[in-house]
Short mmCIF file of all heavy atoms in Angstrom, two decimals:
data_model
loop_
_atom_site.label_atom_id
_atom_site.label_comp_id
_atom_site.label_asym_id
_atom_site.label_seq_id
_atom_site.Cartn_x
_atom_site.Cartn_y
_atom_site.Cartn_z
N ALA T 60 1.39 56.95 -34.66
CA ALA T 60 2.70 57.45 -34.22
C ALA T 60 3.75 57.25 -35.30
O ALA T 60 3.65 56.35 -36.14
CB ALA T 60 3.11 56.72 -32.94
N ARG T 61 4.79 58.10 -35.25
CA ARG T 61 5.88 57.99 -36.21
C ARG T 61 6.75 56.77 -35.93
O ARG T 61 7.30 56.18 -36.86
CB ARG T 61 6.74 59.26 -36.16
CG ARG T 61 6.01 60.52 -36.57
CD ARG T 61 6.90 61.74 -36.44
NE ARG T 61 8.12 61.60 -37.23
CZ ARG T 61 9.12 62.49 -37.22
NH1 ARG T 61 9.04 63.56 -36.42
NH2 ARG T 61 10.17 62.32 -37.97
N SER T 62 6.90 56.40 -34.67
CA SER T 62 7.71 55.24 -34.29
C SER T 62 6.87 54.31 -33.41
O SER T 62 7.12 54.17 -32.21
CB SER T 62 8.97 55.69 -33.55
OG SER T 62 9.73 56.57 -34.33
N PRO T 63 5.88 53.65 -33.97
CA PRO T 63 4.95 52.86 -33.16
C PRO T 63 5.59 51.64 -32.50
O PRO T 63 5.03 51.09 -31.55
CB PRO T 63 3.88 52.43 -34.17
CG PRO T 63 4.57 52.45 -35.50
CD PRO T 63 5.55 53.58 -35.41
N ALA T 64 6.75 51.21 -32.98
CA ALA T 64 7.37 49.99 -32.44
C ALA T 64 7.79 50.15 -30.98
O ALA T 64 7.99 49.14 -30.29
CB ALA T 64 8.58 49.59 -33.28
N PHE T 65 7.95 51.38 -30.51
CA PHE T 65 8.34 51.58 -29.11
C PHE T 65 7.32 50.97 -28.15
O PHE T 65 7.69 50.43 -27.11
CB PHE T 65 8.50 53.08 -28.81
CG PHE T 65 9.84 53.63 -29.18
CD1 PHE T 65 10.00 54.44 -30.29
CD2 PHE T 65 10.95 53.34 -28.41
CE1 PHE T 65 11.23 54.95 -30.64
CE2 PHE T 65 12.20 53.85 -28.73
CZ PHE T 65 12.34 54.65 -29.86
N ALA T 66 6.05 51.06 -28.48
CA ALA T 66 5.01 50.57 -27.58
C ALA T 66 5.04 49.04 -27.44
O ALA T 66 5.11 48.52 -26.32
CB ALA T 66 3.64 51.06 -28.03
N PRO T 67 4.97 48.26 -28.53
CA PRO T 67 5.03 46.80 -28.36
C PRO T 67 6.36 46.32 -27.80
O PRO T 67 6.40 45.35 -27.04
CB PRO T 67 4.78 46.27 -29.78
CG PRO T 67 5.07 47.40 -30.69
CD PRO T 67 4.73 48.64 -29.93
N PHE T 68 7.45 47.00 -28.16
CA PHE T 68 8.75 46.61 -27.59
C PHE T 68 8.73 46.77 -26.07
O PHE T 68 9.19 45.89 -25.33
CB PHE T 68 9.85 47.48 -28.20
CG PHE T 68 11.20 47.28 -27.58
CD1 PHE T 68 11.97 46.18 -27.90
CD2 PHE T 68 11.70 48.19 -26.65
CE1 PHE T 68 13.21 45.98 -27.32
CE2 PHE T 68 12.92 48.00 -26.07
CZ PHE T 68 13.69 46.89 -26.40
N SER T 69 8.18 47.88 -25.60
CA SER T 69 8.11 48.12 -24.16
C SER T 69 7.19 47.11 -23.48
O SER T 69 7.49 46.62 -22.38
CB SER T 69 7.61 49.54 -23.89
OG SER T 69 8.45 50.50 -24.50
N ALA T 70 6.07 46.78 -24.11
CA ALA T 70 5.13 45.83 -23.52
C ALA T 70 5.76 44.46 -23.34
O ALA T 70 5.55 43.79 -22.31
CB ALA T 70 3.89 45.72 -24.40
N VAL T 71 6.54 44.02 -24.31
CA VAL T 71 7.20 42.72 -24.22
C VAL T 71 8.35 42.75 -23.22
O VAL T 71 8.59 41.81 -22.48
CB VAL T 71 7.69 42.28 -25.62
CG1 VAL T 71 8.55 41.03 -25.51
CG2 VAL T 71 6.50 42.03 -26.53
N LEU T 72 9.08 43.87 -23.21
CA LEU T 72 10.27 43.97 -22.36
C LEU T 72 9.94 43.83 -20.88
O LEU T 72 10.70 43.22 -20.12
CB LEU T 72 10.98 45.30 -22.61
CG LEU T 72 12.29 45.52 -21.85
CD1 LEU T 72 13.36 44.54 -22.34
CD2 LEU T 72 12.78 46.95 -22.01
N ILE T 73 8.79 44.37 -20.45
CA ILE T 73 8.48 44.36 -19.02
C ILE T 73 7.59 43.19 -18.63
O ILE T 73 7.16 43.10 -17.48
CB ILE T 73 7.83 45.70 -18.58
CG1 ILE T 73 6.54 45.98 -19.35
CG2 ILE T 73 8.80 46.83 -18.77
CD1 ILE T 73 5.30 45.50 -18.67
N MET T 74 7.31 42.27 -19.56
CA MET T 74 6.52 41.08 -19.24
C MET T 74 7.40 40.11 -18.47
O MET T 74 8.28 39.45 -19.04
CB MET T 74 5.99 40.43 -20.51
CG MET T 74 5.02 39.30 -20.25
SD MET T 74 3.47 39.84 -19.52
CE MET T 74 2.79 40.83 -20.85
N GLN T 75 7.19 40.01 -17.16
CA GLN T 75 8.05 39.22 -16.28
C GLN T 75 7.27 38.05 -15.69
O GLN T 75 6.07 37.93 -15.87
CB GLN T 75 8.62 40.10 -15.16
CG GLN T 75 9.43 41.28 -15.65
CD GLN T 75 10.76 40.89 -16.23
OE1 GLN T 75 11.39 39.93 -15.78
NE2 GLN T 75 11.21 41.63 -17.23
N VAL T 76 7.98 37.20 -14.94
CA VAL T 76 7.36 36.00 -14.39
C VAL T 76 6.41 36.32 -13.24
O VAL T 76 5.59 35.49 -12.87
CB VAL T 76 8.43 35.00 -13.90
CG1 VAL T 76 9.22 34.46 -15.07
CG2 VAL T 76 9.36 35.64 -12.88
N THR T 77 6.51 37.50 -12.64
CA THR T 77 5.58 37.89 -11.59
C THR T 77 5.09 39.31 -11.86
O THR T 77 5.78 40.10 -12.51
CB THR T 77 6.24 37.85 -10.19
OG1 THR T 77 7.30 38.82 -10.14
CG2 THR T 77 6.81 36.48 -9.89
N VAL T 78 3.90 39.62 -11.36
CA VAL T 78 3.33 40.96 -11.53
C VAL T 78 4.22 41.99 -10.85
O VAL T 78 4.49 43.06 -11.40
CB VAL T 78 1.90 41.01 -10.97
CG1 VAL T 78 1.36 42.43 -11.01
CG2 VAL T 78 0.99 40.07 -11.74
N TYR T 79 4.67 41.68 -9.66
CA TYR T 79 5.52 42.62 -8.91
C TYR T 79 6.77 42.97 -9.71
O TYR T 79 7.16 44.13 -9.81
CB TYR T 79 5.90 42.00 -7.57
CG TYR T 79 6.91 42.80 -6.78
CD1 TYR T 79 6.54 43.93 -6.08
CD2 TYR T 79 8.24 42.41 -6.74
CE1 TYR T 79 7.45 44.67 -5.36
CE2 TYR T 79 9.18 43.14 -6.02
CZ TYR T 79 8.78 44.26 -5.33
OH TYR T 79 9.70 44.99 -4.63
N ARG T 80 7.39 41.95 -10.29
CA ARG T 80 8.62 42.20 -11.06
C ARG T 80 8.32 43.02 -12.31
O ARG T 80 9.14 43.84 -12.73
CB ARG T 80 9.27 40.87 -11.42
CG ARG T 80 10.72 41.01 -11.86
CD ARG T 80 11.39 39.66 -12.01
NE ARG T 80 11.43 38.96 -10.73
CZ ARG T 80 11.96 37.75 -10.56
NH1 ARG T 80 12.45 37.10 -11.61
NH2 ARG T 80 11.97 37.19 -9.38
N SER T 81 7.15 42.80 -12.92
CA SER T 81 6.77 43.60 -14.09
C SER T 81 6.65 45.08 -13.72
O SER T 81 7.10 45.95 -14.46
CB SER T 81 5.44 43.10 -14.65
OG SER T 81 5.59 41.85 -15.28
N VAL T 82 6.04 45.35 -12.58
CA VAL T 82 5.87 46.74 -12.15
C VAL T 82 7.23 47.38 -11.86
O VAL T 82 7.51 48.50 -12.29
CB VAL T 82 4.96 46.81 -10.91
CG1 VAL T 82 4.91 48.23 -10.36
CG2 VAL T 82 3.55 46.35 -11.25
N VAL T 83 8.07 46.67 -11.12
CA VAL T 83 9.39 47.21 -10.79
C VAL T 83 10.21 47.47 -12.04
O VAL T 83 10.82 48.55 -12.20
CB VAL T 83 10.13 46.24 -9.85
CG1 VAL T 83 11.59 46.69 -9.66
CG2 VAL T 83 9.44 46.17 -8.49
N GLN T 84 10.23 46.51 -12.96
CA GLN T 84 11.02 46.68 -14.17
C GLN T 84 10.46 47.77 -15.07
O GLN T 84 11.21 48.48 -15.75
CB GLN T 84 11.11 45.36 -14.93
CG GLN T 84 11.90 44.27 -14.23
CD GLN T 84 13.33 44.71 -13.93
OE1 GLN T 84 13.99 45.35 -14.74
NE2 GLN T 84 13.81 44.37 -12.73
N SER T 85 9.13 47.92 -15.09
CA SER T 85 8.56 48.98 -15.91
C SER T 85 8.93 50.36 -15.37
O SER T 85 9.22 51.28 -16.14
CB SER T 85 7.03 48.83 -15.98
OG SER T 85 6.45 49.05 -14.71
N LEU T 86 8.92 50.52 -14.05
CA LEU T 86 9.33 51.80 -13.47
C LEU T 86 10.78 52.12 -13.81
O LEU T 86 11.12 53.27 -14.15
CB LEU T 86 9.12 51.77 -11.96
CG LEU T 86 7.67 51.73 -11.46
CD1 LEU T 86 7.62 51.57 -9.95
CD2 LEU T 86 6.92 52.98 -11.89
N ARG T 87 11.64 51.10 -13.70
CA ARG T 87 13.05 51.32 -14.04
C ARG T 87 13.22 51.61 -15.53
O ARG T 87 14.03 52.46 -15.91
CB ARG T 87 13.86 50.10 -13.64
CG ARG T 87 14.00 49.92 -12.13
CD ARG T 87 14.69 48.62 -11.79
NE ARG T 87 14.96 48.53 -10.36
CZ ARG T 87 15.43 47.45 -9.75
NH1 ARG T 87 15.66 46.34 -10.45
NH2 ARG T 87 15.66 47.45 -8.45
N TYR T 88 12.46 50.91 -16.35
CA TYR T 88 12.58 51.11 -17.79
C TYR T 88 12.10 52.50 -18.20
O TYR T 88 12.75 53.19 -18.99
CB TYR T 88 11.77 50.03 -18.51
CG TYR T 88 11.74 50.18 -20.01
CD1 TYR T 88 12.91 50.20 -20.75
CD2 TYR T 88 10.53 50.31 -20.67
CE1 TYR T 88 12.88 50.34 -22.13
CE2 TYR T 88 10.48 50.45 -22.04
CZ TYR T 88 11.66 50.47 -22.76
OH TYR T 88 11.63 50.62 -24.13
N VAL T 89 10.95 52.91 -17.65
CA VAL T 89 10.46 54.26 -17.96
C VAL T 89 11.47 55.31 -17.49
O VAL T 89 11.75 56.28 -18.19
CB VAL T 89 9.08 54.49 -17.30
CG1 VAL T 89 8.69 55.96 -17.39
CG2 VAL T 89 8.03 53.62 -17.97
N GLY T 90 12.03 55.10 -16.30
CA GLY T 90 13.04 56.03 -15.81
C GLY T 90 14.25 56.11 -16.73
O GLY T 90 14.80 57.20 -17.00
N ALA T 91 14.68 54.94 -17.24
CA ALA T 91 15.83 54.91 -18.14
C ALA T 91 15.53 55.63 -19.45
O ALA T 91 16.35 56.41 -19.96
CB ALA T 91 16.24 53.46 -18.41
N VAL T 92 14.33 55.39 -19.99
CA VAL T 92 13.96 56.04 -21.25
C VAL T 92 13.84 57.55 -21.08
O VAL T 92 14.34 58.33 -21.91
CB VAL T 92 12.65 55.44 -21.78
CG1 VAL T 92 12.13 56.26 -22.97
CG2 VAL T 92 12.85 53.99 -22.20
N VAL T 93 13.19 57.98 -20.01
CA VAL T 93 13.05 59.42 -19.77
C VAL T 93 14.41 60.07 -19.61
O VAL T 93 14.65 61.17 -20.14
CB VAL T 93 12.17 59.65 -18.52
CG1 VAL T 93 12.20 61.12 -18.11
CG2 VAL T 93 10.74 59.22 -18.79
N ALA T 94 15.32 59.40 -18.91
CA ALA T 94 16.66 59.96 -18.73
C ALA T 94 17.38 60.09 -20.06
O ALA T 94 18.00 61.13 -20.35
CB ALA T 94 17.47 59.08 -17.77
N GLY T 95 17.30 59.04 -20.89
CA GLY T 95 17.97 59.10 -22.20
C GLY T 95 17.41 60.18 -23.10
O GLY T 95 18.16 60.92 -23.75
N VAL T 96 16.08 60.27 -23.14
CA VAL T 96 15.44 61.28 -23.98
C VAL T 96 15.74 62.69 -23.46
O VAL T 96 15.98 63.63 -24.24
CB VAL T 96 13.92 61.04 -24.04
CG1 VAL T 96 13.22 62.21 -24.74
CG2 VAL T 96 13.63 59.74 -24.78
N ALA T 97 15.75 62.85 -22.13
CA ALA T 97 16.03 64.17 -21.55
C ALA T 97 17.46 64.62 -21.86
O ALA T 97 17.69 65.81 -22.16
CB ALA T 97 15.82 64.12 -20.03
N VAL T 98 18.41 63.70 -21.81
CA VAL T 98 19.80 64.05 -22.15
C VAL T 98 19.88 64.53 -23.59
O VAL T 98 20.51 65.56 -23.90
CB VAL T 98 20.72 62.84 -21.92
CG1 VAL T 98 22.10 63.08 -22.53
CG2 VAL T 98 20.86 62.55 -20.43
N GLN T 99 19.24 63.79 -24.49
CA GLN T 99 19.26 64.18 -25.89
C GLN T 99 18.56 65.52 -26.10
O GLN T 99 19.06 66.38 -26.84
CB GLN T 99 18.61 63.10 -26.74
CG GLN T 99 18.20 63.53 -28.14
CD GLN T 99 19.37 64.11 -28.93
OE1 GLN T 99 20.49 63.65 -28.79
NE2 GLN T 99 19.10 65.14 -29.72
N ALA T 100 17.42 65.73 -25.46
CA ALA T 100 16.68 66.98 -25.65
C ALA T 100 17.50 68.17 -25.18
O ALA T 100 17.57 69.21 -25.86
CB ALA T 100 15.35 66.90 -24.90
N ALA T 101 18.13 68.02 -24.00
CA ALA T 101 18.90 69.15 -23.45
C ALA T 101 20.09 69.48 -24.32
O ALA T 101 20.32 70.65 -24.69
CB ALA T 101 19.34 68.81 -22.03
N LEU T 102 20.89 68.47 -24.67
CA LEU T 102 22.08 68.73 -25.47
C LEU T 102 21.73 69.12 -26.90
O LEU T 102 22.44 69.91 -27.55
CB LEU T 102 22.99 67.51 -25.46
CG LEU T 102 23.63 67.17 -24.11
CD1 LEU T 102 24.49 65.91 -24.22
CD2 LEU T 102 24.49 68.33 -23.62
N GLY T 103 20.63 68.54 -27.43
CA GLY T 103 20.24 68.90 -28.79
C GLY T 103 19.85 70.36 -28.90
O GLY T 103 20.21 71.04 -29.87
N LEU T 104 19.10 70.85 -27.92
CA LEU T 104 18.70 72.25 -27.95
C LEU T 104 19.88 73.18 -27.75
O LEU T 104 19.94 74.29 -28.32
CB LEU T 104 17.63 72.51 -26.89
CG LEU T 104 16.25 71.88 -27.14
CD1 LEU T 104 15.33 72.11 -25.95
CD2 LEU T 104 15.62 72.47 -28.42
N LEU T 105 20.85 72.76 -26.91
CA LEU T 105 22.00 73.62 -26.61
C LEU T 105 23.05 73.62 -27.71
O LEU T 105 23.62 74.66 -28.05
CB LEU T 105 22.64 73.20 -25.28
CG LEU T 105 21.79 73.44 -24.02
CD1 LEU T 105 22.49 72.86 -22.80
CD2 LEU T 105 21.54 74.94 -23.83
N ALA T 106 23.35 72.43 -28.28
CA ALA T 106 24.48 72.31 -29.20
C ALA T 106 24.08 71.95 -30.61
O ALA T 106 24.91 72.03 -31.52
CB ALA T 106 25.47 71.26 -28.67
N GLY T 107 22.85 71.50 -30.83
CA GLY T 107 22.45 71.11 -32.17
C GLY T 107 22.79 69.66 -32.47
O GLY T 107 23.63 69.04 -31.79
N PRO T 108 22.16 69.08 -33.50
CA PRO T 108 22.35 67.67 -33.84
C PRO T 108 23.60 67.41 -34.67
O PRO T 108 23.53 67.09 -35.87
CB PRO T 108 21.08 67.34 -34.62
CG PRO T 108 20.73 68.62 -35.31
CD PRO T 108 21.13 69.72 -34.36
N ASP T 109 24.78 67.56 -34.09
CA ASP T 109 26.02 67.27 -34.83
C ASP T 109 26.77 66.12 -34.16
O ASP T 109 26.34 65.57 -33.14
CB ASP T 109 26.89 68.53 -34.94
CG ASP T 109 27.18 69.15 -33.58
OD1 ASP T 109 27.14 68.42 -32.56
OD2 ASP T 109 27.45 70.36 -33.53
N LEU T 110 27.94 65.78 -34.70
CA LEU T 110 28.69 64.62 -34.22
C LEU T 110 29.17 64.82 -32.78
O LEU T 110 29.14 63.88 -31.97
CB LEU T 110 29.90 64.37 -35.13
CG LEU T 110 30.74 63.14 -34.80
CD1 LEU T 110 29.91 61.87 -34.86
CD2 LEU T 110 31.95 63.04 -35.74
#
Side-chain angles (χ1 to χ4, degrees):
R61 296 178 57 185
S62 302
F65 276 106
F68 174 78
S69 302
V71 172
L72 184 66
I73 60 93
M74 187 67 65
Q75 301 288 326
V76 294
T77 64
V78 174
Y79 173 78
R80 196 171 298 180
S81 289
V82 173
V83 171
Q84 293 302 320
S85 67
L86 292 175
R87 290 174 173 172
Y88 176 58
V89 170
V92 170
V93 170
V96 171
V98 168
Q99 163 56 36
L102 292 179
L104 290 175
L105 292 175
D109 54 25
L110 183 60

